[in-house]
């Protein structure tokens, strides 16, 4: 696993809709943060490995998201494409601490935010 | 009271217990059973009575038990065991330097060891009015007395909180004759213990008992001057109430410990032998925080009591390692069980078993071949077995196939539906609607030589009504005919279900299923919340079946319909404002040009449907773009939806020297009538003012072509991969007829076509004659269809752009999350 430089607090879980997602813009990436029906949160880089589809805009079902561009299904837990499709969406560390969502950013992702 | 200080009476070590509840007394019992002579014990309790079984407050409220029956330790027990009990005299402070506790009456008692068992406090939501008379919690016998007093007068009651305790309070009050409404903030009741499917079943059962459940209910105010008269929700809804029970949760009571300078976080922090930050002070029960966890259930308290007692009598102990908990709702006739972590996730897999007929739902979550959690509703007889397997960490791989059937089937032959149906007795009812049992069906099959489901339906009426038993009937056919029977190929909607589109649509209406969890439970969905294939279809079917009741589920819509714009390959969106009939004017064009400049929209294009497309809009800019277009009088063009797209037109008799009818105004009128309507797929129309058909109306879903004497109505055409020209539905003479036929045709399509089926394949499937029978030849049915269309349009014709641009609907869609803080 990549070294996490910092955990970013992005506010309460309630701000992410159930079976939905919000995005977080970092210096280098856009991260999709998902909330499942059972209130788990997961994060992936907001682009699918196929055609850079914005995964945050997909339909969330179980612990999966369906890419809005071409309906590839990705596991939120591992980022792996499901079924016959190949590919893996980049996973980002994410957890809930006291009802608040925290996203673990690598040095690269945190970028200028910490340099400046 | 004449109190002899413990130190004078005996040389035994002095143990003082603060809290005469279940945790404290269980610890005392455990100590006595290990070494009755070890301590001289003094107990302080805040309530003026002996200790009782707090989890039995619900039966006490409902009247199923009396106070005597819930007493755990009688006054005699205390004296027999030489325990000094101060009931109704709570400890108010602890002096750890002097090792003394001071009670409210001023009594000072010395200790060598101090045990805190102060339990928890109910959480009071500090809304206006929370101190009015008639607002109570549900925590002790006094609360129950207050509730019984109110219930004696009957009248309305509100329970705030649809968790375990709240629902028990609601059922108890209902049993006592009150008219109860439960307000619950989350989307389904008992959301911490149950998943949405089980929550749905429970809410249904409560409603059946006459308890009203309002979910997503945010309490704004408790209303009344001296006595409570009602509760007002933040959305303005007012619910009358003579009694309000707050049962929103509990909070560990660590006040004494905090004041005494002990480490208290959420609860009093203890180690594995329940020692606090002071080695002479211990804590057990709901007041503690152990390995970061606080517990509100009884089983962990008992486990803590054992470890604490071991340590206090100096027996070697492994210590308390935290608890895996299970919950059961203590409501007679409602079987609910949950245990462990049933959220799924990680490398888990789930086994879902649903029996809609019996109202049974079971979900077992497995990880690495072991049970990680379980939710059971309707049949909880195997809850204990699952819980044991889970606690033991037993590998259940061998049992997997029959796990959902419970312990009785464990190790038996793998369940085969044909064997199961063959094993049914002859008098087993197969078709509940028509009361047909297995014997009649089997004899009809053998005696009359039936070989298909339809024949069985015809001869026996089995599965001829709601059809939910058709799978069973097919299994019976297969079991009776052996290899001669081929089950008709049904193409399920997706892997979540065995039902096809048609049967789901039929059952939604027949069984009056009005929500997504209702459909998934009653039709025995194999997954907990469906997938990207079935959810949008169900959302549409529910919306089409119950236009006035069903609340659209945004999370089940494809992104375009969720944000009312078309996603493009780079993740930006395209925006197409509506131009009625393709007609525009300089004001609208200026507004479009201004929007394109202001938001630096890179591409502006005219579409095939005679609209203007603004391409490359950033998602965050959508509300701003819409606000500006709204200000110029334009609304959403629905170019993104499975809905009415455009009505294309030529300039018609208004301008054209060949025109025979006013096609422009007809197109505008048709579009005004039909915009906003959700359909199985996109729906396009066109109106041509003469048979030259410049608007290309004969490749549209509904095409109108003017003739000298009236209008030709065409249906079922489309462009696309398979170009298909329309077929002529009929000819009409008046403008009113065009409107009525159009509305009726759309409604028939909305009610009969499968999700994602355009009109062309739908008509190919059912035949043009069927459509004509329904709405050309049958005038009454046409009118009924048109009426239903108009009803559904009342709620559909709300501009989604205006709702989002100026009313803040779905604001979360358009703003990224902020970085609040970093560490």
């Amino acid at each position: 696993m990549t070294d996490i430089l910092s955990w970013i607090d992005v506010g309460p879980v309630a701000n992410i809709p159930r079976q939905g997602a919000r995005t977080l813009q970092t210096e280098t990436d856009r991260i999709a943060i998902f909330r499942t029906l059972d209130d788990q949160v997961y994060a992936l880089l907001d682009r699918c490995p196929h055609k850079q589809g914005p995964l945050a805009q997909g339909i969330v079902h179980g612990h999966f998201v369906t890419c809005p561009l071409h309906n590839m299904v990705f596991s939120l837990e591992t980022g792996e494409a499901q079924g016959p499709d190949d590919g893996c969406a980049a996973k980002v560390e994410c957890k809930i601490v006291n009802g608040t969502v925290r996203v673990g950013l690598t040095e690269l992702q945190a970028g200028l935010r910490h340099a400046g | 009271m004449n109190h002899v200080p413990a130190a004078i009476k005996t040389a035994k070590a002095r143990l003082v217990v603060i809290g005469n509840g279940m945790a404290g007394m269980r610890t005392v019992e455990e100590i006595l059973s290990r070494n009755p002579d070890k301590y001289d014990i003094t107990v302080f309790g805040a309530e003026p009575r002996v200790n009782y079984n707090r989890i039995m407050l619900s039966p006490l409220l409902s009247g199923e038990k009396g106070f005597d029956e819930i007493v755990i330790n009688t006054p005699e027990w205390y004296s027999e065991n030489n325990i000094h009990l101060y009931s109704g005299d709570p400890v108010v402070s602890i002096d750890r330097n002097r090792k003394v506790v001071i009670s409210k009456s001023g009594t000072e008692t010395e200790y060598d060891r101090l045990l805190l068992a102060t339990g928890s406090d109910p959480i009071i939501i500090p809304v206006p009015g929370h101190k009015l008379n008639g607002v109570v919690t549900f925590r002790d016998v006094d609360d129950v007395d207050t509730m019984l007093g109110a219930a004696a007068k009957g009248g309305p009651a509100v329970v705030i909180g649809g968790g375990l305790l709240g629902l028990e309070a609601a059922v108890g009050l209902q049993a006592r004759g009150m008219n109860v409404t439960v307000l619950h903030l989350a989307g389904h009741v008992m959301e911490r213990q149950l998943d949405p499917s089980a929550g749905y079943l429970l809410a249904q059962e409560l409603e059946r008992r006459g308890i009203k459940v309002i979910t997503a209910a945010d309490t704004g105010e408790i209303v009344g001057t001296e006595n409570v008269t009602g509760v007002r929700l933040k959305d303005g809804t007012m619910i009358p109430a003579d009694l309000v029970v707050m049962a929103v949760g509990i909070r560990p009571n660590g006040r004494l410990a905090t004041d005494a300078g002990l480490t208290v976080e959420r609860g009093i922090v203890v180690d594995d032998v329940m020692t606090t930050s002071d080695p002479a002070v211990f804590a057990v029960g709901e007041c503690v925080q152990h390995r970061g966890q606080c517990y509100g259930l009884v089983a962990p308290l008992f486990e803590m009591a054992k470890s604490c007692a071991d340590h206090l009598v100096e027996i070697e102990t492994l210590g308390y390692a935290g608890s895996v908990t299970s919950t059961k709702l203590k409501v007679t006739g409602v079987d609910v069980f949950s245990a462990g972590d049933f959220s799924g996730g990680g490398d888990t897999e789930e086994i879902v078993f649903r029996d809609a007929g019996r109202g049974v739902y079971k979900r077992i979550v497995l990880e690495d071949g072991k049970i990680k959690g379980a939710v059971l509703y309707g049949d909880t007889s195997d809850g204990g077995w699952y819980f044991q397997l889970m606690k033991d960490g037993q590998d259940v791989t061998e049992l997997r196939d029959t796990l959902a059937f419970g312990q009785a089937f464990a190790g038996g032959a793998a369940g085969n539906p044909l064997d199961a149906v063959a094993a049914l007795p002859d008098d087993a009812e197969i078709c509940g609607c028509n009361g047909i049992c297995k014997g009649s069906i089997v004899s009809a099959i053998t005696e009359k030589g039936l070989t298909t489901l339809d024949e069985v339906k015809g001869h026996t009426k089995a599965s001829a009504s709601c059809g939910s038993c058709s799978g069973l009937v097919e299994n019976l056919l297969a079991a009776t005919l052996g290899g001669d029977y081929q089950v008709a190929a049904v193409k399920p909607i997706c892997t979540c279900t065995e039902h096809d589109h048609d049967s789901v649509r039929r059952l939604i209406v027949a069984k009056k299923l009005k929500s997504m969890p209702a459909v998934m439970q009653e039709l025995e969905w194999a997954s907990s919340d469906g997938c990207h294939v079935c959810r949008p279809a169900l959302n549409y079917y529910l919306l089409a079946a119950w236009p006035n009741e069903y609340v659209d589920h945004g999370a089940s819509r494809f992104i375009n319909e969720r944000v009312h714009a078309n996603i493009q390959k780079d993740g930006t969106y395209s925006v197409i404002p509506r131009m009625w009939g393709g007609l525009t004017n300089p004001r609208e064009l200026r507004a479009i040009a201004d929007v394109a400049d202001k938001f630096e929209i890179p591409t502006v294009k005219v579409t095939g449907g005679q609209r203007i497309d603004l391409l490359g809009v950033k998602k965050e800019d959508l509300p701003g773009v819409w606000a500006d277009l709204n200000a110029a009088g334009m609304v959403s063009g629905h170019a993104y939806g499975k809905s009415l797209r455009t009505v294309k037109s030529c300039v018609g008799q208004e301008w054209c020297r060949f025109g025979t009818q006013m096609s422009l105004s007809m197109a505008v009128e048709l579009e005004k009538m039909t915009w906003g309507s959700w359909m199985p797929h996109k729906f396009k129309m066109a109106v041509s003012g003469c048979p030259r058909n410049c608007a290309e109306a004969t490749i549209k879903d509904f095409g109108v072509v003017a003739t000298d004497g009236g209008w030709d109505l065409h249906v079922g055409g489309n462009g696309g991969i398979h170009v298909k020209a329309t077929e002529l539905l009929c000819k009409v003479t008046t403008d009113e007829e065009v409107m009525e036929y159009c509305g009726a045709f759309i409604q028939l399509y909305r009610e009969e076509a499968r999700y994602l089926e355009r009109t062309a394949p739908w008509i190919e499937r059912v035949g043009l004659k069927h459509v004509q029978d329904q709405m050309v030849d049958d005038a009454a049915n046409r009118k009924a269809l048109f009426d239903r269309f108009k009803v559904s349009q009342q709620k559909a014709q709300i501009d989604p752009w205006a709702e989002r641009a100026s009313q803040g609907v779905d604001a979360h869609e358009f703003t990224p999350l902020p970085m609040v803080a970093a560490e």
Side-chain angles (χ1 to χ4, degrees):
Chain A
M1 188 170 298
T2 343
D3 288 336
I4 288 170
L5 178 80
S6 67
W7 288 93
I8 302 292
D9 176 348
V10 296
V13 185
N15 286 357
I16 305 172
R18 267 205 187 122
Q19 295 173 298
R22 297 282 297 271
T23 56
L24 173 69
Q25 186 65 50
T26 72
E27 292 298 330
T28 54
D29 291 295
R30 195 173 57 233
I31 293 168
I33 304 163
F34 302 89
R35 178 177 170 197
T36 59
L37 182 67
D38 54 22
D39 286 338
Q40 307 288 305
V41 297
Y42 296 99
L44 301 171
L45 284 191
D46 193 20
R47 46 183 179 193
C48 79
H50 173 222
K51 297 275 184 184
Q52 283 71 55
L55 295 170
Q57 315 303 317
I59 289 179
V60 176
H61 48 99
H63 288 190
F64 302 97
V65 63
T66 300
C67 178
L69 294 195
H70 304 94
N71 281 341
M72 272 173 76
V73 178
F74 296 92
S75 161
L76 295 176
E77 291 151 12
T78 62
E80 292 280 350
Q82 304 296 299
D85 291 318
D86 284 329
C88 190
K91 182 155 171 56
V92 176
E93 291 304 311
C94 184
K95 63 185 179 185
I96 301 177
V97 180
N98 294 330
T100 297
V101 180
R102 291 188 179 198
V103 181
L105 298 186
T106 62
E107 191 163 4
L108 196 64
Q109 289 160 345
L112 297 174
R113 193 184 152 76
H114 288 271
Chain B
M1 188 181 292
N2 181 18
H3 170 56
V4 183
I8 296 172
K9 197 178 94 182
T10 172
K12 283 194 276 187
R14 296 156 303 179
L15 173 67
V16 169
V17 182
I18 303 179
N20 186 26
M22 300 183 72
M25 285 314 98
R26 177 55 77 102
T27 311
V28 169
E29 285 176 16
E30 295 283 355
I31 291 170
L32 293 174
S33 74
R34 283 163 176 72
N35 184 349
D37 299 321
K38 175 85 181 169
Y39 289 105
D40 180 59
I41 302 171
T42 304
V43 176
F44 287 87
E47 286 185 67
R49 50 180 73 86
V50 290
N51 90 317
Y52 58 89
N53 190 341
R54 200 179 294 278
I55 64 174
M56 287 296 158
L57 283 178
S58 299
L60 185 67
L61 175 64
S62 66
E64 288 164 57
K65 286 202 191 307
F67 181 71
D68 291 347
E69 294 174 84
I70 71 167
V71 167
I72 300 174
N73 298 115
T74 60
E76 292 74 36
W77 177 83
Y78 289 88
S79 52
E80 279 163 18
N81 288 289
N82 297 317
I83 297 167
H84 319 286
L85 171 65
Y86 294 87
S87 55
D89 190 15
V91 170
V92 291
S93 66
I94 301 165
D95 184 339
R96 290 200 287 132
N97 291 327
R98 289 167 51 219
K99 287 197 166 180
V100 163
V101 301
I102 300 134
S103 78
K104 195 175 175 189
S105 66
T107 312
E108 294 202 355
T109 309
E110 297 170 20
Y111 65 82
D112 296 304
R113 299 284 171 88
L114 178 63
L115 178 63
L116 300 175
T118 46
S120 59
D121 293 327
I123 294 173
I124 310 271
I125 331 169
V127 288
H130 71 272
K131 287 183 176 160
L132 288 170
N133 288 331
V135 180
V136 295
T137 58
F138 185 27
R139 194 61 193 150
D140 58 32
V141 169
D142 291 338
D143 291 332
V144 172
D145 286 342
T146 313
M147 287 156 79
L148 291 178
K153 297 183 217 117
V158 164
V159 175
I160 303 177
L164 204 59
L165 207 58
L167 295 184
E168 291 181 8
V171 171
L173 289 170
Q174 179 77 15
R176 293 286 190 175
M178 295 196 88
N179 185 3
V180 184
T181 304
V182 175
L183 306 178
H184 191 54
L185 192 56
H188 68 270
V189 293
M190 283 179 68
E191 83 282 1
R192 284 174 58 192
Q193 292 88 11
L194 300 180
D195 60 11
S197 300
Y200 155 75
L201 284 168
L202 178 56
Q204 249 199 347
E205 170 62 22
L206 294 170
E207 299 266 350
R208 199 185 62 71
R209 293 181 175 212
I211 296 171
K212 191 160 182 232
V213 179
I214 305 179
T215 52
D218 202 353
T219 303
E221 182 187 358
I222 298 174
V223 185
T225 43
E226 191 172 336
N227 296 315
V228 61
T229 56
V231 175
R232 183 175 290 119
L233 301 182
K234 286 195 178 150
D235 67 8
T237 311
M238 177 75 191
I239 302 142
D242 298 338
L243 174 76
V244 172
V245 181
M246 277 213 199
V248 291
I250 53 168
R251 179 183 291 134
N253 177 356
R255 275 188 308 276
L256 276 176
T258 307
D259 293 347
L262 296 168
T263 304
V264 179
E265 290 172 3
R266 272 189 304 148
I268 305 167
V269 176
V270 294
D271 64 11
D272 288 357
V273 289
M274 316 315 289
T275 314
T276 67
S277 53
D278 177 340
V281 181
F282 302 80
V284 290
E286 291 179 350
C287 61
V288 311
Q289 176 182 327
H290 172 261
R291 297 191 189 177
Q293 287 284 326
C294 297
Y295 295 95
L297 295 165
V298 74
L301 315 191
F302 291 170
E303 290 170 30
M304 290 178 195
K306 286 192 179 120
S307 302
C308 186
D310 282 344
H311 184 68
L312 283 171
V313 301
E314 288 152 32
I315 292 176
E316 193 76 22
T317 175
L318 287 173
Y320 174 63
S323 295
V324 188
T325 55
S326 69
T327 23
K328 253 187 135 147
L329 186 67
K330 289 176 297 300
V331 169
T332 308
V334 182
D335 293 324
V336 183
F337 173 91
S338 76
D341 177 2
F342 51 84
S343 58
D347 292 320
T348 61
E349 50 178 331
E350 61 176 20
I351 299 174
V352 175
F353 171 86
R354 306 186 198 236
D355 182 339
R358 290 192 300 137
V360 170
Y361 170 78
K362 300 182 182 184
R363 179 156 157 259
I364 302 151
V365 177
L366 302 179
E367 186 173 46
D368 297 334
K370 293 170 189 161
I371 297 179
K372 201 175 170 219
V375 185
L376 310 177
Y377 186 94
D379 175 4
T380 55
S381 50
D382 287 301
W385 183 56
Y386 295 132
F387 189 48
Q388 198 59 46
L389 287 172
M390 181 176 85
K391 284 204 291 188
D392 294 348
Q394 190 174 326
D395 192 310
V396 294
T397 312
E398 298 282 303
L399 304 173
R400 197 188 182 293
D401 287 345
T402 57
L403 197 60
F405 300 113
Q407 190 167 18
F409 284 81
N416 173 335
L418 284 190
D419 293 346
V421 78
L424 287 174
D426 274 352
D427 60 358
E429 189 176 79
I430 302 291
C431 173
C433 297
N434 295 304
I436 316 294
C437 60
K438 178 188 164 188
S440 349
I441 298 173
V442 171
S443 55
I445 294 170
T446 47
E447 286 163 22
K448 302 205 168 77
L450 310 182
T451 55
T452 69
L453 178 62
D454 282 341
E455 286 175 350
V456 174
K457 278 187 198 172
H459 283 89
T460 68
K461 295 284 171 283
S463 89
S465 295
C466 84
S468 61
C469 64
S470 55
L472 264 179
V473 174
E474 292 201 78
N475 285 339
L476 263 182
L477 269 164
T480 311
L481 299 177
D484 296 341
Y485 180 70
Q486 294 293 315
V487 176
V490 173
K491 194 169 175 294
I493 294 183
C494 61
T495 54
C496 300
T497 178
E498 290 173 0
H499 289 282
D500 62 4
H501 284 271
D502 296 340
S503 75
V504 168
R505 289 211 82 164
R506 189 183 66 247
L507 292 169
I508 282 175
V509 176
K511 289 172 163 278
K512 298 198 166 46
L513 307 177
K514 299 187 180 180
S515 71
M516 199 83 68
V519 175
M520 290 183 180
Q521 169 59 27
E522 298 297 334
L523 306 188
E524 305 183 346
W525 239 243
S527 58
S528 48
D529 69 337
C531 70
H532 69 277
V533 178
C534 59
R535 283 231 310 269
L538 292 183
N539 190 54
Y540 168 70
Y541 292 151
L542 287 163
L543 202 61
W546 317 110
N548 288 320
E549 294 164 76
Y550 180 67
V551 181
D552 192 38
H553 190 234
S556 294
R557 283 190 179 270
F558 182 63
I559 182 66
N560 289 359
E561 294 185 352
R562 204 159 71 227
V563 301
H564 298 274
N566 285 52
I567 196 164
Q568 302 299 319
K569 64 179 239 182
D570 62 352
T572 64
Y573 291 81
S574 87
V575 168
I576 302 181
R578 198 164 282 288
M579 282 179 182
W580 310 99
L583 211 54
T584 184
N585 56 47
R587 183 176 49 85
E588 289 183 352
L589 292 172
R590 267 190 210 100
I592 290 171
D594 288 344
V595 159
D597 279 344
K598 177 173 167 186
F599 293 95
E600 297 174 333
I601 294 169
T603 301
V604 181
K605 160 144 193 353
V606 175
T607 72
Q610 302 181 334
R611 303 297 137 96
I612 291 179
D613 192 352
L614 300 161
L615 286 140
V617 182
K618 290 191 273 302
K619 196 181 183 197
E620 304 88 272
D621 288 344
L622 287 172
V625 168
W626 295 335
D628 287 3
L629 294 173
N630 278 160
M634 283 175 276
V635 299
S636 164
H638 288 78
Y640 46 78
K642 313 294 177 220
S643 57
L644 187 271
R645 291 284 177 90
T646 60
V647 184
K648 196 172 167 180
S649 76
C650 68
V651 296
Q653 204 181 24
E654 285 95 334
W655 289 95
C656 178
R657 60 204 166 95
F658 300 113
T660 59
Q661 301 282 354
M662 299 285 196
S663 61
L664 257 183
S665 56
M666 173 58 78
V668 171
E669 268 191 70
L670 281 173
E671 190 158 351
K672 294 253 179 191
M673 178 180 81
T674 55
W675 76 277
S677 172
W678 295 111
M679 313 224 196
H681 208 308
K682 60 186 171 186
F683 192 96
K684 299 178 177 182
M685 300 205 273
V687 183
S688 286
C690 81
R692 287 172 186 78
N693 190 16
C694 295
E696 298 162 342
T698 47
I699 51 162
K700 300 298 176 201
D701 294 280
F702 188 81
V704 182
V705 180
T707 60
D708 255 345
W711 305 92
D712 286 355
L713 305 183
H714 297 261
V715 294
N718 68 221
I721 302 176
H722 303 290
V723 181
K724 177 145 190 329
T726 50
E727 295 179 87
L728 181 66
L729 179 71
C730 62
K731 291 168 177 288
V732 296
T733 48
T734 67
D735 291 2
E736 292 69 35
E737 284 174 302
V738 176
M739 304 297 281
E740 179 174 317
Y741 279 73
C742 174
F745 176 74
I746 290 177
Q747 188 63 16
L748 190 65
Y749 170 60
R750 296 180 77 235
E751 291 178 6
E752 289 195 351
R754 297 165 186 163
Y755 189 67
L756 297 186
E757 185 174 46
R758 289 285 300 266
T759 57
W762 167 59
I763 292 176
E764 259 172 46
R765 180 162 66 80
V766 300
L768 180 68
K769 181 160 185 315
H770 167 77
V771 179
Q772 288 168 329
D773 287 348
Q774 292 288 311
M775 59 162 289
V776 180
D777 304 337
D778 187 340
N781 194 45
R782 177 175 65 245
K783 186 169 180 315
L785 283 164
F786 188 41
D787 286 344
R788 290 205 290 279
F789 179 68
K790 285 189 285 195
V791 167
S792 81
Q793 283 297 82
Q794 285 166 9
K795 293 238 168 155
Q797 290 195 328
I798 297 165
D799 178 28
W801 288 1
E803 284 184 309
R804 284 155 184 79
S806 57
Q807 293 157 41
V809 171
D810 286 350
H812 61 82
E813 284 284 359
F814 309 105
T815 42
L817 285 168
M819 291 193 186
V820 180
E823 74 179 37

